[in-house]
Amino acid sequence: MSGLARGVPPLIAYGFLMAAVDVYAGNRLQTVDPITVAAIAFTLAAAYFLAGEIGRKGLAGALRPVRGHRHDVIAINIVSAVTWLTLLYALRQLEPAIVNVVALSIGPALVALLGPLLRRGHRVLPGEVAVSLGVLALIGVLMWGSATGMSGLGRLDSGDAALGLALTLVCGLSCTANVIYSKRLSDAGFTPSSSMAVRYFLTVAVCWTLLIIGGDPRIGAAILPGAVVAVIGIALPNWLSQVGIKHVEPITAALLGTLSPIFAFLMQLLDSRLSPSGLTLAGLVGITILVTVGVVVRARHDRSTTDTSAGGTVAGAATVPAGTGGP
């Protein structure tokens, strides 16, 4: 089975779960403080992964990524904290499908630009660059629709819309960095579980610090939402993401992530706050088509590369001079 075949299913499952948690959180966070939910959710998720690694490898083994790849671990802690905190606050302001599509879809264009710099020797294909730029154009249309009242939430206060879009853009930038640094840890030989065990230290610290300083004291009301987010929004989807990223290039992972908004659009029909938006649906369909094209381009390239390598091996075996010995 090819790397693409191994990596695509968990990344699609990741997108589905991210859509589910966006719709769920977008509804629940109207009445519960995002920081309180985040503090509970990330504490539970971090404890689960760290305890599992300690049980399998001991404390020293669980912390090996910190010792061997400290800069990557610090970086992924920072971008994880920024990604999730901006996401949770953006969901209070905007339609979940819009937040989902902007945060995830801006990634492919950025990966196409930054990936070769951060992972030297790994080429992004021209077709992937074209797809990424097309996705970026559709993001602009969806952002315009959200700002002008054409999204599922209808007309928004201009200040709320601007804040939501700004947070969503920051979230998208951080999502991109998450993909790249996850791939770096995977390339260094760390398993998905070992990477997950060390990536939320900063998020947990920041959330509880903000909560102590001035957060919502109603911790009891946030326990259930926090537990749900911990399972379907952090632990399971991020593990699936790490598994998928292990087998595919960052640009492919970023492109597959943009399928999540179509799931979010369908799920949010169950939310009474939201009404179907033709512009949102058209944008999501366009992005889905572009994503499919991007994955096909990468699959054809990988297949041709494999065929070329196999042909070279066969040709090399056929031209071994006589008398050199054999098996």
Side-chain angles (χ1 to χ4, degrees), residues 87-101:
L87 173 67
L88 291 172
Y89 276 103
L91 286 169
R92 299 189 80 174
Q93 312 296 335
L94 299 176
E95 178 185 357
I98 297 292
V99 173
N100 199 290
V101 74

Side-chain angles (χ1 to χ4, degrees), residues 63-86:
L63 297 178
R64 190 167 67 87
V66 179
R67 296 195 306 273
H69 294 266
R70 183 172 303 168
H71 291 104
D72 287 342
V73 171
I74 291 173
I76 204 167
N77 268 265
I78 293 172
V79 297
S80 294
V82 173
T83 297
W84 283 95
L85 294 178
T86 53

Side-chain angles (χ1 to χ4, degrees), residues 4-5 7-8 11-12 125 127-128 131 248 251-259 288-303:
L4 198 65
V8 167
L11 288 171
I12 291 177
L125 305 176
E128 290 174 322
V131 166
V248 303
I251 183 66
T252 305
L255 285 170
L256 285 168
T258 63
L259 294 175
T288 301
I289 293 171
L290 288 172
V291 168
T292 302
V293 172
V295 173
V296 169
V297 166
R298 172 55 67 174
R300 287 180 176 175
H301 173 268
D302 288 351
R303 187 162 51 248

Side-chain angles (χ1 to χ4, degrees), residues 1-326:
M1 184 182 292
S2 69
L4 198 65
R6 290 188 181 98
V8 167
L11 288 171
I12 291 177
Y14 160 80
F16 179 84
L17 287 173
M18 289 305 297
V21 78
D22 279 0
V23 174
Y24 174 80
N27 181 284
R28 296 296 298 152
L29 293 178
Q30 304 304 309
T31 57
V32 182
D33 179 44
I35 290 296
T36 310
V37 173
I40 294 171
F42 283 101
T43 299
L44 292 174
Y48 171 78
F49 283 109
L50 185 59
E53 282 297 289
I54 291 175
R56 286 186 292 270
K57 304 175 182 177
L59 181 60
L63 297 178
R64 190 167 67 87
V66 179
R67 296 195 306 273
H69 294 266
R70 183 172 303 168
H71 291 104
D72 287 342
V73 171
I74 291 173
I76 204 167
N77 268 265
I78 293 172
V79 297
S80 294
V82 173
T83 297
W84 283 95
L85 294 178
T86 53
L87 173 67
L88 291 172
Y89 276 103
L91 286 169
R92 299 189 80 174
Q93 312 296 335
L94 299 176
E95 178 185 357
I98 297 292
V99 173
N100 199 290
V101 74
V102 175
L104 292 175
S105 301
I106 198 172
L110 296 172
V111 170
L113 294 173
L114 300 178
L117 297 177
L118 294 176
R119 298 181 69 244
R120 299 184 185 279
H122 295 263
R123 186 168 67 93
V124 177
L125 305 176
E128 290 174 322
V129 174
V131 166
S132 300
L133 294 177
V135 169
L136 198 59
L138 288 175
I139 287 174
V141 173
L142 290 173
M143 290 176 67
W144 167 79
S146 183
T148 56
M150 299 178 68
S151 73
L153 283 173
R155 184 163 293 279
L156 301 172
D157 176 79
S158 58
D160 290 342
L163 175 60
L165 291 173
L167 290 170
T168 303
L169 288 173
V170 174
C171 180
L173 293 171
S174 300
C175 280
T176 303
N178 253 312
V179 171
I180 291 173
Y181 282 106
S182 293
K183 185 64 174 177
R184 286 169 65 101
L185 288 173
S186 179
D187 287 346
F190 296 111
T191 65
S193 296
S194 63
S195 297
M196 295 294 293
V198 297
R199 74 184 296 168
Y200 295 129
F201 297 151
L202 180 61
T203 308
V204 171
V206 169
C207 287
W208 284 107
T209 299
L210 292 175
L211 187 60
I212 291 170
I213 292 174
D216 190 328
R218 295 179 301 157
I219 294 178
I223 290 177
L224 179 58
V228 172
V229 171
V231 176
I232 71 168
I234 302 173
L236 185 54
N238 283 332
W239 181 81
L240 288 168
S241 174
Q242 195 74 40
V243 170
I245 287 170
K246 179 180 180 180
H247 298 291
V248 303
E249 286 299 307
I251 183 66
T252 305
L255 285 170
L256 285 168
T258 63
L259 294 175
S260 181
I262 197 72
F263 298 138
F265 181 85
L266 296 173
M267 292 178 193
Q268 73 184 26
L269 297 178
L270 303 175
D271 190 335
S272 60
R273 297 179 308 124
L274 306 166
S275 58
S277 165
L279 178 67
T280 301
L281 179 59
L284 297 183
V285 170
I287 287 173
T288 301
I289 293 171
L290 288 172
V291 168
T292 302
V293 172
V295 173
V296 169
V297 166
R298 172 55 67 174
R300 287 180 176 175
H301 173 268
D302 288 351
R303 187 162 51 248
S304 64
T305 301
T306 301
D307 291 344
T308 301
S309 299
T313 301
V314 172
T319 56
V320 174
T324 57

